[in-house]
Amino acid sequence: MKILVIGSGGREHALAWRLAQSSRVQKVFVAPGNAGTALEDGVENVPLTSFEELIAFARAEQIHATVVGPEAPLAAGIVDAFRAASLRIFGPTRAAAQLESSKDFAKRFMTRHGIPTARFATFTDAAQAHAYVDAQGAPIVVKADGLAAGKGVVVALSLAEAHAAIGLMLLDASYTGGARVVIEEFLEGEEASFIVMADGVHALALATSQDHKRLQDGDLGPNTGGMGAYSPAPVVTPGVHARAMREVILPTIDGMAKDGMTYTGFLYAGLMIKPDGTLKVVEFNCRLGDPEAQAIMLRLKSDLADLVDAAIDGHLDRVEAEWDRRVALGVVMAAAGYPAAPRKGDAISGLPGRAAHSEDSHVFHAGTARQGDQTVTAGGRVLCVTALGGNVSAAQKRAYEVVETIRYDGLQMRRDIGYRALGKRG
Ligand code: AMP
Ligand code: GLY
């Protein structure tokens, strides 16, 4: 059978690569894909983005199922459009994707259903927002309501920073979220990514993971989409795992069903976990994390096409996911100027060729393109070099060994991916 993956990043490369290994899958198409998916065995890029074109393609190629990578097409209703055309697709509807596309929706949903999250208030009026911040004090977190590609959150350590963020978000039209801010309590603890597959009723937990959001070593510099990740997350002990399912995931799936927005698709809860094991939801995403997906997919031993089928058919309670017991760790290699203004067109050297298969590492592409016979940078996050190891330090060592072989002008990366987990169980 044939599978279609929507998207062009590292997460989609990892999904396509894993799906192509299914014995039932003859071909994985990626729309539009990148230079990495173009070279993957059993994978082919198709230069399509509009829903009409994608639906026509899925029909013409008799695509068995479509898997959506990024949030933008989900928030734009790609799942609704495919289902209306009687095509099998895995992802949340436009209404359900509001869990990510509107912070205000997510916060009100969690409050209504008793799901633990930071205290919050939503404002359209700047004067009221400023007054609220003065009353609450710092540190405090200011978020633009809406998809803002990682730019919409300011963790303000001082009142001055909070006031500046409100000014920017309520006045500056460059925030796609528009004129609404959510202001919330600053949460302390350690963050982890808790991602499940949901079929509307049941949830299948994927391996846990943690990412590094800041650009520079030691968690300094601007927020990014993620500079590296590893799986599993040591902070998610079996007790924390059980609580996350009981207090967050299952109430979310039940609550969405009760509210008439049955949730199907990957569901990503960003959790803030305290040393005593109590947890709160920092955010929901309606998709796999990137670069978490690269680490998770490297560890997945089950047939991903089977899991996707079970999810689309509402049978996730009948399947289990099997994981490589080793640690997977991914290092993001980013372009010059990322995240503010990534430069494109730098030639990349040292990429492993099609024949260079390695059992314990994989170079997932994100922002890459082919220019003649050269692979060049074509986006902020360029590659995610992901490796397996018997422990965090072995996975880290292996990933950086592969990283060292790859070069391009302006390369930015962190040297400390995994440091939190190393501190725990090196
Ligand atoms: P979000 O887009 O909501 O995930 O926020 C981006 C990042 O900002 C999160 O991954 C956290 O590191 C941080 N953050 C968001 N909300 C809070 C909060 N209430 N307290 C502390 N840190 C937060
Ligand atoms: N790495 C965080 C995210 O995908 O949102």
Side-chain angles (χ1 to χ4, degrees):
M1 65 195 191
K2 300 176 198 168
I3 305 274
L4 174 62
V5 173
I6 308 286
S8 64
R11 164 184 48 213
E12 290 76 29
H13 187 174
L15 281 168
W17 167 76
R18 200 39 110 195
L19 284 163
Q21 289 164 4
S22 163
S23 56
R24 295 193 299 137
V25 172
Q26 293 142 14
K27 176 72 85 56
V28 178
F29 292 100
V30 190
N34 58 40
T37 51
L39 290 180
E40 208 62 75
D41 283 338
V43 180
E44 186 178 327
N45 289 347
V46 285
L48 308 174
T49 45
S50 83
F51 294 178
E52 295 73 27
E53 286 172 329
L54 291 166
I55 286 170
F57 177 83
R59 283 208 176 110
E61 288 289 339
Q62 295 185 302
I63 297 292
H64 173 74
T66 297
V67 180
V68 188
E71 61 276 22
L74 294 166
I78 192 169
V79 170
D80 311 67
F82 269 62
R83 285 192 188 152
S86 302
L87 292 165
R88 290 164 65 79
I89 186 162
F90 184 56
T93 60
R94 179 187 184 136
Q98 289 179 93
L99 274 183
E100 174 170 2
S101 66
S102 168
K103 303 253 183 223
D104 179 52
F105 174 93
K107 296 298 286 191
R108 284 189 289 115
F109 172 82
M110 286 188 269
T111 308
R112 194 159 63 239
H113 294 284
I115 296 162
T117 189
R119 256 182 303 116
F120 80 106
T122 302
F123 298 93
T124 50
D125 179 82
Q128 285 176 12
H130 287 299
Y132 179 79
V133 159
D134 281 330
Q136 296 291 316
I140 194 156
V141 181
V142 183
K143 301 184 175 185
D145 183 41
L147 293 179
K151 288 198 292 179
V153 175
V154 173
V155 178
L157 299 179
S158 68
L159 282 178
E161 269 180 274
H163 288 304
I166 292 167
L168 214 63
M169 289 181 198
L170 284 182
L171 299 174
D172 183 348
S174 74
Y175 279 93
T176 54
R180 255 206 303 196
V181 291
V182 171
I183 300 180
E184 67 178 41
E185 168 198 6
F186 172 79
L187 296 175
E188 279 176 275
E190 188 170 336
E191 247 178 299
S193 306
F194 197 95
I195 308 174
V196 304
M197 294 174 79
D199 66 10
V201 179
H202 318 100
L204 177 72
L206 301 181
T208 60
S209 56
Q210 277 178 294
D211 78 341
H212 294 258
K213 292 207 163 63
R214 301 296 190 110
L215 182 68
Q216 289 150 9
D217 286 10
D219 292 326
L220 299 173
N223 253 322
T224 70
M227 293 299 291
Y230 49 91
S231 170
V235 66
V236 184
T237 59
V240 170
H241 197 286
R243 279 185 89 145
M245 289 300 285
R246 192 174 66 236
E247 296 176 14
V248 175
I249 299 298
L250 297 174
T252 298
I253 292 170
D254 286 349
M256 289 298 281
K258 283 197 189 107
D259 292 352
M261 289 170 279
T262 304
Y263 194 97
T264 51
F266 293 104
L267 175 65
Y268 170 142
L271 302 177
M272 194 68 90
I273 301 159
K274 284 201 184 164
D276 66 1
T278 55
L279 49 86
K280 286 187 178 172
V281 176
V282 176
E283 62 166 342
F284 280 124
N285 292 316
C286 59
R287 51 172 175 80
L288 277 168
D290 186 340
E292 290 95 326
Q294 292 86 315
I296 292 170
M297 286 300 131
L298 201 63
R299 291 187 60 213
L300 179 65
K301 292 174 89 170
S302 312
D303 185 319
L304 180 56
D306 288 348
L307 300 184
V308 168
D309 262 345
I312 293 175
D313 296 331
H315 297 155
L316 277 178
D317 55 328
R318 298 192 207 154
V319 292
E320 273 179 46
E322 199 195 330
W323 304 98
D324 194 312
R325 296 176 65 87
R326 289 174 292 177
V327 172
L329 183 141
V331 177
V332 168
M333 301 176 75
Y338 179 71
R343 187 170 79 199
K344 295 184 180 176
D346 288 304
I348 307 172
S349 65
L351 285 170
R354 194 190 270 267
H357 283 297
S358 163
E359 189 276 329
D360 65 355
S361 71
H362 204 87
V363 178
F364 294 112
H365 288 229
T368 62
R370 293 292 285 176
Q371 223 170 61
D373 54 8
Q374 179 68 54
T375 302
V376 300
T377 64
R381 291 185 291 176
V382 177
L383 303 164
C384 180
V385 176
T386 312
L388 291 163
N391 55 27
V392 180
S393 84
Q396 186 190 55
K397 180 163 174 286
R398 181 75 189 117
Y400 281 106
E401 271 169 18
V402 179
V403 163
E404 289 309 325
T405 63
I406 303 170
R407 280 294 167 263
Y408 50 86
D409 285 346
L411 160 63
Q412 298 191 82
M413 66 167 164
R414 284 179 61 157
R415 289 265 164 206
D416 65 348
I417 299 304
Y419 80 89
R420 256 192 233 101
L422 268 175
K424 286 209 166 65
R425 57 169 205 191

